[in-house]
Amino acid sequence: MARARKLKSGSWRTLVYSHKEKITTSDGAIKEKRIYKSFTSDDPSPRGKREAEAMAAEFSLNKDRSKRGDYSTGEAVRKYIDSKTNVLSTTTIRSYETFYKNAYDDIFDIPTKNLNQSSINAWVNDYATDHAPKTVRNAHGLLSATLSIYEPTLRLKTKLPEPNPQPQYTPSDKEVQLLLKHVEGTELEKAILLAAFGTLRRGEVFALTSEDIKENVITINKSIVRSANGGMVVKSPKTNSSTRKVIYPDFVIRKFDGVEGRLVKMHPEEISKRFNKVLEKAGLPRFRFHDLRHYSASIMHAMGIPDQYIMARGGWKTDRVLKQVYRNVIGDENKKFTDKINKHFETMQHEMQHENDE
């Protein structure tokens, strides 16, 4: 930052580089001359020094902004998304497109150089009135990433709504058994078996083909997701760790004997509709198809399977998700361990009572 110097008059002056101008010297040569902008405060006190330096800093900030182009917020977000189409996942780009179309109405036409923390606070406050905290945070994340490129001098310190995590429901063994009875012999049964006993994601289930089965081993190396333009596309798995081989029980593999082409012949989004109807018909609690992954991981955890193996089977890169989501305590297992704990304490109490009686 440019420092102010005190003049003989007692005033403070700050010089800031502005630009270069071409000049012709006396011998006819053309040179570039550095041009400086002067900011002066007549207050001789330290306050005058700070005032002169503040005026210079504001000039520098606006000068830097003007060099980067005169984009509106909407244009900047559009350019950011376009620059990431081959880098980010299809799902992420699709969510970005949704934000671009719907999230920034209040600031869409405002030039990025005119944005400030106050205007962004106002936008967040308004957007949060009818959107979930997670949605607000993700929309702000896209805006923040955009501004880090097109307005890097704008340092955001936005107060965002606190997350409101929804409790995850993990079905029990008995509930999964009842679910399978209601879908026996259907395509939905195959999808549920792959997810519940192999910890597969929905997109991974529907991308599998008969070529991915070798004996009892199923190779997961692709996924089917909705693209930004609304169609379905085959893409690489979510992470490198998601490419994996899962050894299934023999009775699951037998369900695919003689199947050619795709193992589950259903549209990826059709499963959610059928799945919810089956849950209602079976009298089961409402949970998502994805929660079958929760079930599989939680069962393995309850059995004492090491996290490293659970991560490998489910395609998780780290154990962060396991700790936050997938270590749900299943009702039946919880009761079993609670009884075991209470039995230990009761035995300890009896021993203490016995010692006191003696």
Side-chain angles (χ1 to χ4, degrees):
M1 184 179 75
R3 300 293 181 183
R5 292 186 178 183
K6 201 163 192 178
L7 305 177
K8 290 182 179 181
S9 64
S11 300
W12 291 95
R13 184 178 70 180
T14 306
L15 293 177
V16 181
Y17 169 72
S18 174
H19 61 283
K20 292 181 180 179
E21 290 183 358
K22 292 183 178 181
I23 61 172
T24 304
T25 63
S26 57
D27 59 359
I30 298 178
K31 293 185 177 180
E32 287 187 335
K33 180 181 179 181
R34 293 173 65 88
I35 305 299
Y36 289 84
K37 181 79 173 177
S38 176
F39 298 91
T40 305
S41 171
D42 293 332
D43 185 345
S45 70
R47 179 179 179 181
K49 179 177 184 292
R50 293 193 297 271
E51 188 177 82
E53 291 175 346
M55 289 188 290
E58 183 178 2
F59 170 79
S60 296
L61 175 62
N62 292 330
K63 176 174 69 71
D64 290 341
R65 284 189 169 191
S66 65
K67 288 181 179 180
R68 287 187 292 276
D70 195 15
Y71 299 121
S72 69
T73 301
E75 289 171 336
V77 172
R78 176 74 269 158
K79 287 177 68 68
Y80 178 83
I81 295 174
D82 291 343
S83 71
K84 300 294 182 179
T85 53
N86 295 322
V87 178
L88 301 176
S89 70
T90 304
T91 302
T92 299
I93 293 297
R94 188 172 73 246
S95 69
Y96 280 2
E97 292 288 355
T98 300
F99 287 138
Y100 171 74
K101 295 174 182 177
N102 305 307
Y104 309 113
D105 290 349
D106 293 347
I107 56 176
F108 196 87
D109 295 323
I110 297 177
T112 57
K113 64 183 180 182
N114 292 341
L115 286 178
N116 53 41
Q117 187 66 70
S118 178
S119 60
I120 291 175
N121 287 343
W123 164 71
V124 166
N125 187 62
D126 182 67
Y127 191 61
T129 58
D130 53 2
H131 291 86
K134 182 178 180 181
T135 303
V136 176
R137 285 175 169 269
N138 289 342
H140 180 272
L142 172 56
L143 179 62
S144 178
T146 298
L147 295 178
S148 70
I149 294 177
Y150 298 101
E151 289 298 329
T153 57
L154 180 58
R155 308 290 184 179
L156 296 183
K157 295 182 179 179
T158 314
K159 176 62 177 177
L160 298 172
E162 293 297 323
N164 183 25
Q166 298 297 317
Q168 299 286 345
Y169 183 81
T170 305
S172 66
D173 274 342
K174 291 181 180 178
E175 289 171 331
V176 172
Q177 289 172 3
L178 181 58
L179 175 63
L180 288 170
K181 285 183 180 179
H182 278 76
V183 296
E184 188 174 0
T186 67
E187 290 296 300
L188 186 56
E189 178 193 23
K190 297 175 183 176
I192 291 173
L193 288 172
L194 290 170
F197 298 154
T199 326
L200 267 63
R201 303 175 178 90
R202 188 184 68 171
E204 294 171 342
V205 168
F206 291 105
L208 291 175
T209 70
S210 52
E211 295 181 354
D212 297 317
I213 297 183
K214 294 292 185 293
E215 297 181 349
N216 280 47
V217 179
I218 293 182
T219 300
I220 297 93
N221 55 19
K222 53 190 174 296
S223 181
I224 291 181
V225 299
R226 185 169 289 283
S227 66
N229 61 16
M232 305 303 297
V233 296
V234 179
K235 60 180 286 292
S236 299
K238 188 174 182 180
T239 65
N240 290 336
S241 302
S242 298
T243 299
R244 62 201 188 277
K245 296 179 183 293
V246 177
I247 302 175
Y248 275 88
D250 186 67
F251 76 91
V252 174
I253 297 297
R254 297 284 72 79
K255 295 288 182 178
F256 302 99
D257 286 346
V259 175
E260 295 293 334
R262 286 178 50 201
L263 296 186
V264 178
K265 303 184 187 305
M266 295 172 63
H267 189 278
E269 294 179 354
E270 182 183 359
I271 188 171
S272 297
K273 297 178 181 179
R274 291 194 186 183
F275 190 76
N276 291 333
K277 290 181 180 179
V278 170
L279 290 178
E280 183 177 356
K281 183 178 180 180
L284 290 169
R286 186 76 173 261
F287 59 90
R288 303 168 303 167
F289 181 81
H290 190 78
D291 291 325
L292 295 173
R293 259 171 77 80
H294 298 196
Y295 159 78
S296 188
S298 297
I299 282 292
M300 286 188 283
H301 180 69
M303 292 170 61
I305 303 298
D307 282 355
Q308 184 176 0
Y309 180 83
I310 300 175
M311 289 164 56
R313 189 175 178 89
W316 288 286
K317 185 176 181 179
T318 69
D319 66 353
R320 179 181 60 84
V321 175
L322 289 177
K323 291 177 179 177
Q324 293 180 354
V325 179
Y326 294 101
R327 284 183 177 177
N328 297 312
V329 180
I330 300 174
D332 292 346
E333 296 296 325
N334 183 41
K335 183 178 185 306
K336 181 176 69 176
F337 291 128
T338 299
D339 291 344
K340 186 175 182 179
I341 293 169
N342 288 340
K343 184 177 181 180
H344 170 80
F345 292 144
E346 288 174 358
T347 300
M348 183 177 67
Q349 175 64 22
H350 288 320
E351 292 175 351
M352 293 172 61
Q353 186 65 43
H354 180 68
E355 291 176 357
N356 290 336
D357 292 340
E358 292 180 351

